[in-house]
Amino acid sequence: MWNKVFHFGHTVIFTRQFATVQAQNRRVVVTGVGCVSAVGVSAEVAWKNILSAQCGIVKLTDPSYANLPCRVAAQISKDEFDLTKIFSKGDLKAMSPAIAYSLIATKEALTCANWFPTDLEAQNRTGVAVGIGMVNLPDICEMNNSLQQGYNRVSPFFIPRILLNMAAGHISIKYGFRGPNHAVSTACATGAHAIGDGYRFIQSNLADVMVCGAGEAPISPLCIAGFSRLRSLSTSFNDDPQKSSRPFDKKREGFVIGEGAAICILESLDHAKQRQAPIFGEILGYGCSGDAAHLTSPREDGLGAQLAMQRALEDAQLSPVNIGYVNAHATSTPMGDAIESRAITHVFGNHNVAVSSTKGAHGHLLGSAGNLETMFTILACRDGKLPPTINLTDVSDDMKHLNFVANTSQPWSGHKRRIALKNAFGFGGTNACLCIGEFRENT
């Protein structure tokens, strides 16, 4: 409903009179998914490869990596996926690879959702919540070198390329989306927070549709050197890269950097039904918390992770017994995986919940990890198949009570409705958890 409010000369200004909607009564569903990753450059291909335990981690052969402790990454094949064949030279001057990946994933997700509105009202009610976790370091290195040669050698696109909200900006501009234009940057929780915030925007009736997720393209010598100095990365599998990322395994020693993007189209259920959109799943709850403990390490007792999971359950008005699966953040670090397993045990007690991490297949996409893994969790709820934790040959003794879906996917059984939690944690002690469910008309 629109009301005339005031006018300037011959121009009449209208504002929309919004109905008051209780957050808990406005259901939010997923109507489209898209991704670019080392394990697949479309959602369904990536999901098929995840279920078949494929791995996209490769050895870094460029000489610039030769003297670094870590020489593996989950890198998208430039031979098979060439950005210069997708974007013009002018486009690529104005965007970093993370932005380009985000645009590609967005196009797939919007096509999947069949949502390319052209009328003003629909565009005004469609928003974007897409983040980037890390600034594009190669741009900074290159422009610093250019500056030494002269001021005029610095690209006018330098600043727009490194701003962390520019993926959201490009998407909004390309498709004319004038709803909330939001960018999250919360380290490795970025993508999950973006989806959670998009969910809140729809619940609060600030939008009917939200394009949500994140992109990341961190693979560079400086980035790998920096994480290596933190002793965060795997270094013992440089000659056997597909074995390097091994969540929950006794031989885990650090994560493997990955790149890519994943986008989920969130939509109010009423809006999706009205236009007969496909529905992949439902976002049931969202919880977030802070560790308040350390810059790079989680709390040893896992309290921050526990709070995020508990808050997601409370938001969904569910209890642990309703959950059949947890898609863990588990990056393959000795401390992080152990702490998360303790947090899961604390929340679920003796309830038999399956837990897996898909990072053994696609690496750790930093800011784009939570959203890519949320997409896999949505598809797990849709298909009733649990994605495996690959490279898990010997579970640590303190974790053997959990079902980590080791190496082979498993059927999801034993629950009336398939409901999962998705964890994502980041440096600075930032935590997010999404509660995701199989879509059912009547809950």
Side-chain angles (χ1 to χ4, degrees):
M1 180 178 179
W2 291 83
N3 292 337
K4 185 167 73 173
V5 180
F6 54 88
H7 61 87
F8 292 101
H10 298 292
T11 303
V12 180
I13 306 299
F14 291 84
T15 62
R16 183 179 175 90
Q17 180 180 337
F18 294 111
T20 300
V21 180
Q22 295 295 324
Q24 61 267 30
N25 293 332
R26 200 163 201 240
R27 294 174 65 183
V28 178
V29 294
V30 181
T31 56
V33 291
C35 85
V36 177
S37 77
V39 79
V41 293
S42 73
E44 297 296 347
V45 169
W47 177 232
K48 179 182 177 181
N49 289 338
I50 286 290
L51 290 178
S52 60
Q54 300 297 306
C55 181
I57 298 173
V58 298
K59 185 172 184 176
L60 296 169
T61 57
D62 189 280
S64 59
Y65 298 98
N67 295 321
L68 298 179
C70 174
R71 296 187 294 280
V72 296
Q75 192 169 41
I76 297 167
S77 171
K78 303 304 183 285
D79 294 331
E80 298 177 10
F81 191 76
D82 187 352
L83 291 178
T84 64
K85 295 180 180 178
I86 301 171
F87 298 97
S88 69
K89 289 183 179 180
D91 288 338
L92 290 175
K93 284 183 179 180
M95 65 177 75
S96 66
I99 295 171
Y101 292 151
S102 299
L103 282 166
I104 294 165
T106 296
K107 183 179 179 180
E108 181 190 358
L110 290 171
T111 301
C112 183
N114 192 26
W115 185 244
F116 294 96
T118 56
D119 62 285
L120 182 67
E121 169 63 356
Q123 290 177 328
N124 289 348
R125 296 285 291 167
T126 302
V128 182
V130 175
I132 295 173
M134 282 188 63
V135 67
N136 195 47
L137 294 177
D139 276 344
I140 295 175
C141 295
E142 181 182 344
M143 286 301 104
N144 182 65
N145 291 336
S146 295
L147 181 59
Q148 309 312 310
Q149 301 172 40
Y151 158 76
N152 290 330
R153 300 297 296 272
V154 175
S155 168
F157 295 109
F158 170 53
I159 296 301
R161 281 175 62 95
I162 66 171
L163 291 178
L164 298 176
N165 73 313
M166 278 299 175
H170 275 273
I171 293 165
S172 174
I173 292 165
K174 181 175 178 62
Y175 296 104
F177 296 154
R178 287 177 288 273
N181 188 321
H182 182 58
V184 181
S185 186
T186 49
C188 303
T190 294
H193 275 136
I195 293 170
D197 290 349
Y199 160 75
R200 288 276 190 259
F201 286 137
I202 295 174
Q203 279 195 321
S204 302
N205 204 27
L206 296 174
D208 293 322
V209 181
M210 289 295 301
V211 179
C212 303
E216 199 79 276
I219 301 172
S220 70
L222 181 57
C223 182
I224 290 182
F227 278 114
S228 293
R229 290 289 289 161
L230 283 172
R231 297 184 180 180
S232 298
L233 301 182
S234 172
T235 60
S236 298
F237 295 88
N238 289 329
D239 294 322
D240 194 6
Q242 296 202 342
K243 301 295 184 184
S244 56
S245 180
R246 41 196 322 113
F248 303 115
D249 189 77
K250 278 186 178 180
K251 292 183 179 179
R252 70 188 187 277
E253 52 161 6
F255 69 82
V256 176
I257 289 179
E259 63 179 352
I263 297 293
C264 296
I265 307 302
L266 305 191
E267 191 165 348
S268 75
L269 176 58
D270 289 342
H271 190 271
K273 288 171 62 178
Q274 184 178 31
R275 66 183 193 88
Q276 298 183 319
I279 297 177
F280 289 78
E282 183 171 0
I283 308 297
L284 302 173
Y286 170 44
C288 47
S289 69
D291 279 354
H294 190 270
L295 285 176
T296 59
S297 299
R299 282 180 59 113
E300 192 169 334
D301 60 3
L303 178 59
Q306 293 171 33
L307 290 171
M309 287 185 276
Q310 290 166 346
R311 289 167 182 171
L313 288 170
E314 290 168 5
D315 188 46
Q317 300 181 32
L318 296 171
S319 69
V321 297
N322 300 119
I323 307 301
Y325 171 59
V326 176
N327 186 288
H329 178 69
T331 62
S332 186
T333 60
M335 181 185 295
D337 291 12
I339 290 173
E340 184 175 9
S341 70
R342 285 199 290 272
I344 291 169
T345 299
H346 179 89
V347 171
F348 287 91
N350 294 324
H351 174 54
N352 184 24
V353 63
V355 179
S356 74
S357 169
T358 57
K359 286 187 174 75
H362 53 68
H364 183 18
L365 276 67
L366 306 183
S368 196
N371 47 308
L372 179 65
E373 294 153 24
T374 293
M375 185 191 81
F376 293 141
T377 307
I378 291 164
L379 296 175
C381 290
R382 181 195 69 178
D383 294 346
K385 297 178 181 179
L386 300 175
T389 305
I390 69 170
N391 296 324
L392 183 52
T393 58
D394 191 2
V395 180
S396 294
D397 293 337
D398 57 343
M399 306 181 199
K400 288 188 175 178
H401 59 289
L402 291 170
N403 169 21
F404 288 117
V405 195
N407 300 306
T408 305
S409 65
Q410 297 175 6
W412 188 333
S413 59
H415 290 81
K416 293 181 179 179
R417 184 185 185 189
R418 295 189 288 271
I419 303 175
L421 294 184
K422 167 59 205 155
N423 289 335
F425 314 133
F427 280 4
T430 181
N431 308 303
C433 182
L434 295 163
C435 185
I436 298 160
E438 167 194 10
F439 175 69
R440 291 194 178 182
E441 181 73 35
N442 299 311
T443 58

